[in-house]
Amino acid sequence: MIEDKNPQRTSIAQLGEFGLIDHLTKNFEITQSSTLKGIGDDAAVLDFKEKKVVVSTDLLIEGVHFDLAYVPLKHLGYKSVVVNVSDICAMNAKPTQITVSIAVSNRFPLEALEELYEGIERAAKEYKIDVIGGDTTSSQKGLIISITAFGEADENEIVYRNGAKQTDLLVVTGDIGAAYMGLQVLEREKQVFKVNPNSQPDLDAYTYLIERQLKPEARTDVRTLLHALEINPTAMIDISDGLSSEIMHLCKQSGVGCNLYEDKLPIDPQFISTCEEFNIDSTTVAINGGEDYELLFTISIQDFDKIKGNPNFTIIGHMTQESEGIHLITRANTKIPLKARGWDAISE
C-alpha cells in the first residue's frame, strides 16, 4: 500500500466553533437513562434520582502530560477518558457521563481532531458512558484536553480516602510499574529517531509495557468484583501518581501508618526484564512509576478469607498506628521509610 505523502488537511477555521463541535460530536450516542439532555443546549441535564453524584476533572497538556512524537492522537483521546473514569472508579462509583473540552493551535487540521475524537468515542463506548458537552477554543501552542467525569452510586457504596483503620489490609488490583517503563522505552526510541530518522524501532519485546502507557484501562470491573465478594473497602484511591504517593495520601487522610512488603508487589515479567535492561531497580519503579490506573484500597482484616487467592487482587501490606509511620519492608526484612517520588504535576 502506497502511503499518502500529502494527506488531506482541513482547516478548522472553515467550520467555525459550532460547526466544529457538531462535526466532532455527531457520532456520540446517549446510552445512560440518567442523561436527559446531552450536547446541544446551554447545559446538560442529568437525573440521578436517589443516587449520589460524583464528579472529577483532569487536565492533559501537551509537553507536560503527553508527547505527540510517540503518542497517537487516537490513543490520546482514549487515554484522556480513562484517566477520568479511573477517578470515578476510585470512589467505588459507576461512571456515567463526561464532558470534553479542548484548546487547539492552528497547526492541527480537522483530520487530527477527528483522530482524537475517534479515541474518545471508542472509550465512551467501551465504558458505556455518555459524552454530554464541553468546549472548544484556540491555543497559542500545543493541545490541551480537559475532561470532567460524572458517576453515580448509592451513598453507602461510596468509598473515600479517609476510612482506613489500623490492621486493615492494603490491596492493589492488577500489576504496577509497567506504564512507567513503557514511557522509558518510548522516550529512548524518540532519542534514537532524532539521531537516525531512518531507524525503525523493534518494540515486540515491550508490547505490554507500551500498551500500559499508551492505552491504559480504567478498572470499572472492580466495583462489581468486590460486590460479588461482599467486600466493602474502607478507603480507596487510583494509582495515577505512583503507589508510594497514593499510600501516603491514604495514610494522611485516614490518620494511620502502613507497612508495604516488597516481596508482595505484583509486577509483570516483561517489566522486570526491561528494568534489568535499563539498569533500573524494579522495586523503585514499581512503587514510584505512576499512570498504572489500578486501584489501591484497604479492607478489614476480617475479609482476608474472601479475597485471598483471588487473581484480580494482591494484598501488599497492612495499615498500622499512625505513630509507627509508613515503611517499605524489603525482601531482606529491612524497614525503610517510604517516600513519595512519584509524579508531581506542579514541580515536574
Side-chain angles (χ1 to χ4, degrees), residues 17-322:
E17 179 183 0
F18 298 109
L20 177 63
I21 293 171
D22 290 340
H23 182 86
L24 294 176
T25 62
K26 62 186 178 185
N27 294 323
F28 291 132
E29 299 176 357
I30 299 300
T31 63
Q32 295 290 329
S33 60
S34 53
T35 306
L36 299 186
K37 179 66 178 179
I39 297 169
D41 217 305
D42 291 297
V45 180
L46 309 179
D47 179 13
F48 288 97
K49 297 182 172 66
E50 73 281 0
K51 298 281 187 180
K52 300 302 178 184
V53 182
V54 295
V55 184
S56 182
T57 297
D58 264 310
L59 197 61
L60 299 177
I61 299 175
E62 184 179 355
V64 177
H65 301 100
F66 60 88
D67 186 338
L68 291 178
Y70 51 73
V71 178
L73 285 164
K74 191 182 299 183
H75 286 76
L76 177 62
Y78 192 97
K79 184 175 180 177
S80 65
V81 175
V82 166
V83 302
N84 285 274
V85 169
S86 183
D87 283 333
I88 303 301
C89 295
M91 301 298 293
N92 200 37
K94 173 190 173 185
T96 49
Q97 290 93 1
I98 58 170
T99 63
V100 181
S101 297
I102 61 170
V104 61
S105 70
N106 58 13
R107 72 180 172 89
F108 290 90
L110 175 62
E111 287 73 20
L113 297 188
E114 286 176 337
E115 279 192 53
L116 179 73
Y117 271 73
E118 187 178 339
I120 293 171
E121 181 186 349
R122 183 170 296 186
K125 287 181 177 178
E126 174 68 25
Y127 295 109
K128 298 178 176 61
I129 53 178
D130 295 339
V131 181
I132 59 168
D135 192 19
T136 59
T137 189
S138 59
S139 166
Q140 288 297 313
K141 63 176 183 176
L143 174 64
I144 301 171
I145 306 170
S146 176
I147 290 185
T148 298
F150 301 82
E152 66 176 32
D154 291 335
E155 187 170 10
N156 62 353
E157 294 177 316
I158 297 175
V159 180
Y160 300 94
R161 296 180 181 181
N162 62 359
K165 305 289 191 299
Q166 297 174 29
T167 75
D168 277 0
L169 302 176
L170 184 65
V171 184
V172 70
T173 63
D175 60 80
I176 54 177
Y180 179 84
M181 287 312 298
L183 178 63
Q184 299 315 299
V185 171
L186 291 168
E187 284 285 355
R188 181 181 67 183
E189 295 306 320
K190 176 185 174 182
Q191 297 308 316
V192 171
F193 180 79
K194 282 182 177 179
V195 175
N196 181 12
N198 293 319
S199 67
Q200 292 295 319
D202 181 4
L203 301 176
D204 288 346
Y206 315 105
T207 304
Y208 179 67
L209 307 182
I210 291 172
E211 183 174 321
R212 291 283 281 177
Q213 171 59 219
L214 295 182
K215 190 179 175 290
E217 299 290 354
R219 296 304 304 260
T220 53
D221 59 326
V222 169
R223 184 171 183 261
T224 303
L225 289 169
L226 290 173
H227 182 75
L229 293 170
E230 298 183 341
I231 292 175
N232 296 312
T234 52
M236 185 182 285
I237 192 170
D238 78 328
I239 304 176
S240 55
D241 300 331
L243 179 67
S244 57
S245 295
E246 315 304 2
I247 289 174
M248 295 181 82
H249 284 312
L250 289 184
C251 289
K252 180 179 179 181
Q253 296 204 23
S254 295
V256 294
C258 179
N259 284 333
L260 170 69
Y261 291 87
E262 182 182 20
D263 62 349
K264 302 297 184 185
L265 295 174
I267 49 182
D268 186 83
Q270 194 175 97
F271 165 78
I272 296 172
S273 61
T274 307
C275 284
E276 291 173 352
E277 179 186 344
F278 277 70
N279 196 27
I280 301 175
D281 179 66
S282 60
T283 298
T284 300
V285 176
I287 64 176
N288 294 303
E291 286 203 296
D292 293 305
Y293 299 106
E294 296 292 345
L295 296 179
L296 176 72
F297 58 93
T298 54
I299 62 172
S300 168
I301 196 168
Q302 276 76 35
D303 288 331
F304 172 74
D305 287 335
K306 297 178 183 177
I307 207 169
K308 70 176 181 180
N310 190 300
N312 297 287
F313 308 112
T314 304
I315 299 170
I316 58 173
H318 62 86
M319 314 316 277
T320 63
Q321 291 184 17
E322 186 174 22

